[in-house]
Structures are given as structure tokens and as C-alpha cells.
């Protein structure tokens, strides 16, 4: 098959059954103790600019992940507020 490897040259930290809305929220809010070892989380500070780009063809107010429940806009909003309280971005 002539299939392009879209991961060529990329180091993927999470894949497969580990990819869930909860993991995503734990990663962006810096919750190191809540991710599978040796997991990586966002360690940004008050002088950093954080850009989150999530592409999904789901419905209004939700983001679908390959595993587990959907991520609702209210949950993402709470995570962004947590990031703000923790001074994780400008």
C-alpha cells in the first residue's frame, strides 16, 4: 500500500486507548500525577503563550476522542479557567 505515515518524525506521547478527554484535560492543566508514567503535561508559566488547536468534525459544544466519553465545552472551559488560575499562560 502507498500510505503516508503522518507520524514520521514525530514523537507521540499518547496514543491508542490512553487517548481520552480526561487525559487531555489533565495534560493541559499540568496534572502530572494524573497521567500514565512517564507522561508529559503542559508546564507553561505566566510569560508563555499557549495555543491549543483541536480539529474535530463532531457536534456543537463537544469534542470527540477515540476513547471514553465526549469532552463538553463546559469541561474545556473549566480546564482553561484552571490554567488561568495556575498562571499557565499570559
Amino acid at each position: 500500500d502507498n500510505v503516508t505515515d503522518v507520524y514520521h518524525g514525530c514523537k507521540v506521547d499518547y496514543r491508542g486507548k490512553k487517548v481520552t478527554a480526561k487525559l487531555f484535560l489533565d495534560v493541559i492543566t499540568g496534572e502530572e500525577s494524573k497521567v500514565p508514567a512517564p507522561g508529559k503535561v503542559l508546564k507553561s508559566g505566566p510569560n508563555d503563550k499557549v495555543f491549543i488547536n483541536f480539529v474535530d468534525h463532531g457536534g456543537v459544544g463537544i469534542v470527540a476522542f477515540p476513547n471514553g466519553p465526549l469532552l463538553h465545552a463546559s469541561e474545556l472551559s473549566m480546564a482553561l479557567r484552571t490554567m488561568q488560575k495556575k498562571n499557565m499562560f499570559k
Side-chain angles (χ1 to χ4, degrees):
D1 291 349
N2 188 18
V3 178
T4 302
D5 179 1
V6 297
Y7 295 108
H8 179 74
C10 296
K11 182 178 182 312
V12 178
D13 294 305
Y14 302 104
R15 66 172 69 212
K17 294 185 189 284
K18 293 179 183 176
V19 180
T20 64
K22 180 180 179 336
L23 176 66
F24 175 72
L25 296 175
D26 289 339
V27 167
I28 67 170
T29 57
E31 296 294 337
E32 206 164 13
S33 66
K34 295 182 180 179
V35 301
K40 291 184 178 178
V41 297
L42 186 62
K43 294 182 179 181
S44 56
N47 295 317
D48 292 312
K49 294 179 181 178
V50 176
F51 176 75
I52 298 173
N53 180 37
F54 203 105
V55 179
D56 179 38
H57 61 273
V60 175
I62 60 169
V63 177
F65 282 78
N67 305 290
L70 299 171
L71 173 63
H72 294 269
S74 60
E75 295 168 301
L76 180 56
S77 181
M78 285 191 320
L80 296 173
R81 283 195 295 271
T82 297
M83 292 173 68
Q84 184 178 35
K85 288 177 188 173
K86 293 169 89 173
N87 292 313
M88 295 181 74
F89 58 89
K90 290 186 178 191

